[in-house]
Amino acid sequence: MDLLLRDKVALVTGAGSGIGRTTALMLAEEGVRIGCADLFKERAEETVEMIRARGGPAPEEAKAAQPRGEGRKAKGISGETTAIASVCDVTNYGQVAQAVADTLVAFGRLDILVNSAGVSAGGLFMETEPESWSLEIGINLVGTMNCCHAAAPHMITKGYGKIVNIASDAGRVGEKRLSVYGASKGGVLGFTKCLALELARYKINVNVVSPGVVKSPMTSFLTEDLEKEWAKFYPLRRLGVPEDVANMIVFLCSDRTSWMTGQTVSIDGGFSRI
Ligand SMILES: NC(=O)c1ccc[n+]([C@@H]2O[C@H](COP(=O)([O-])OP(=O)(O)OC[C@H]3O[C@@H](n4cnc5c(N)ncnc54)[C@H](O)[C@@H]3O)[C@@H](O)[C@H]2O)c1
């Protein structure tokens, strides 16, 4: 199936690692030009290099979609640019607005936003200190809200857009030792449904994926033994890999899902079954 994504422009947060990076690479394979945003410059740049090394969209296609004008010259972006890196802390609205602006300057428009930036601290709730809660809530929930707020106006103007947020089974069905994280992701689930209602009139689809445990730098604490133990809780008898989630994100970024909005899609080897 052709996902009809060629020539679209996406901003992916958390693009320097795990699910965000894999999503950026897969979108690039579909011919999408990407703003890769991450808190860490070197991670975002590494993803850009990976996209360029894999070819990205053909240069003439990229060139055809380039905007004319001052901004492009000032940034020194060539006609062959298929991805750019943006350093951006999603908790900082000014930096988020700059990442959106960088993508617009480089590629002329913004069709897709994938909010993959996230952190997970873990620990029994009663052993956490109230001062520590704002980290996960700030990055996972408010960070997602910041990005949607900064990106959506450019989609509203065009009457077109796809937003994909990332929640978690911890927010959907609950998981021990992830109360604060689960609260942040539960917030993302509710936020997604409400925003979908508000943006539907502009033909902007807003959906959320809810992964189970995925092997990524975020879960680098997993030993082989722990992985085997946890896999027993999953009907499909394995933990996830970033590609499992990125496949669905890319699908949700496409017009093949144009009659879907406000939906939560679990990708979790059958763990939650809702
Ligand atoms: N890995 C899992 O088991 C799992 C399960 C469910 C949901 N998720 C969610 O999926 C998303 C991606 O997770 P992952 O496994 O790829 O994690 P990861 O740690 O591999 O990648 C997260 C990326 O987000 C970036 N980031 C962190 N804070 C940031 C900030 N303030 N501003 C900008 N970027 C920031 C990090 O630098 C990193 O590159 C997260 O939202 C996570 O909560 C992950």
Side-chain angles (χ1 to χ4, degrees):
M1 181 191 287
D2 182 353
L3 292 177
L4 309 172
L5 279 163
R6 191 155 291 282
D7 295 334
K8 300 281 193 238
V9 176
L11 174 62
V12 180
T13 72
S17 177
I19 295 167
R21 170 174 282 173
T22 305
T23 299
L25 292 172
M26 283 188 176
L27 283 172
E29 276 169 18
E30 296 297 321
V32 177
R33 277 162 286 277
I34 325 240
C36 296
D38 203 281
L39 185 60
F40 298 101
K41 185 169 182 265
E42 60 284 2
R43 290 188 191 172
E45 285 176 348
E46 205 175 69
T47 302
V48 168
E49 280 317 308
M50 290 167 85
I51 289 171
R52 289 183 184 162
R54 288 174 176 212
E60 62 277 8
E61 289 165 8
K63 198 168 188 173
Q66 288 287 323
R68 304 278 167 246
E70 296 300 308
R72 179 180 158 223
K73 267 190 195 151
K75 289 262 168 182
I77 290 164
S78 83
E80 280 136 46
T81 302
T82 53
I84 58 156
S86 270
V87 186
C88 161
D89 179 347
V90 294
T91 66
N92 180 319
Y93 195 85
Q95 290 184 22
V96 168
Q98 187 57 51
V100 169
D102 288 347
T103 306
L104 286 166
V105 165
F107 305 122
R109 60 173 200 276
L110 183 60
D111 306 301
I112 295 164
L113 170 68
V114 178
N115 286 303
S116 191
V119 289
S120 169
L124 292 173
F125 180 65
M126 293 314 293
E127 291 174 7
T128 62
E129 295 298 330
E131 308 82 65
S132 69
W133 302 341
S134 56
L135 177 81
E136 286 162 288
I137 305 287
I139 296 174
N140 300 343
L141 176 56
V142 182
T144 296
M145 293 163 69
N146 281 339
C147 294
C148 291
H149 192 273
H154 305 284
M155 298 175 176
I156 288 171
T157 308
K158 298 276 179 199
Y160 181 92
K162 311 281 177 196
I163 297 176
V164 184
N165 296 327
I166 306 191
S168 163
D169 274 350
R172 200 158 198 215
V173 293
E175 279 180 48
K176 210 164 136 187
R177 304 185 74 85
L178 288 175
S179 298
V180 182
Y181 179 76
S184 73
K185 294 301 190 177
V188 170
L189 292 171
F191 170 66
T192 300
K193 289 177 200 294
C194 298
L195 189 66
L197 285 175
E198 293 184 20
L199 297 185
R201 75 189 68 174
Y202 306 109
K203 301 201 179 353
I204 299 171
N205 307 69
V206 191
N207 292 294
V208 55
V209 297
S210 183
V213 175
V214 173
K215 290 190 285 175
S216 77
M218 181 176 276
T219 52
S220 57
F221 60 84
L222 283 168
T223 60
E224 226 171 275
D225 285 347
L226 197 55
E227 189 185 330
K228 272 192 201 144
E229 201 50 43
W230 285 14
K232 289 180 190 159
F233 295 104
Y234 287 76
L236 288 173
R237 288 292 185 271
R238 69 170 175 87
L239 302 185
V241 291
E243 286 74 8
D244 290 318
V245 184
N247 276 324
M248 179 52 70
I249 295 174
V250 171
F251 190 45
L252 290 172
C253 289
S254 81
D255 282 335
R256 299 298 186 186
T257 56
S258 60
W259 208 41
M260 252 183 97
T261 199
Q263 296 300 314
T264 306
V265 183
S266 280
I267 305 152
D268 61 4
F271 181 84
S272 65
R273 298 181 299 287
I274 57 168

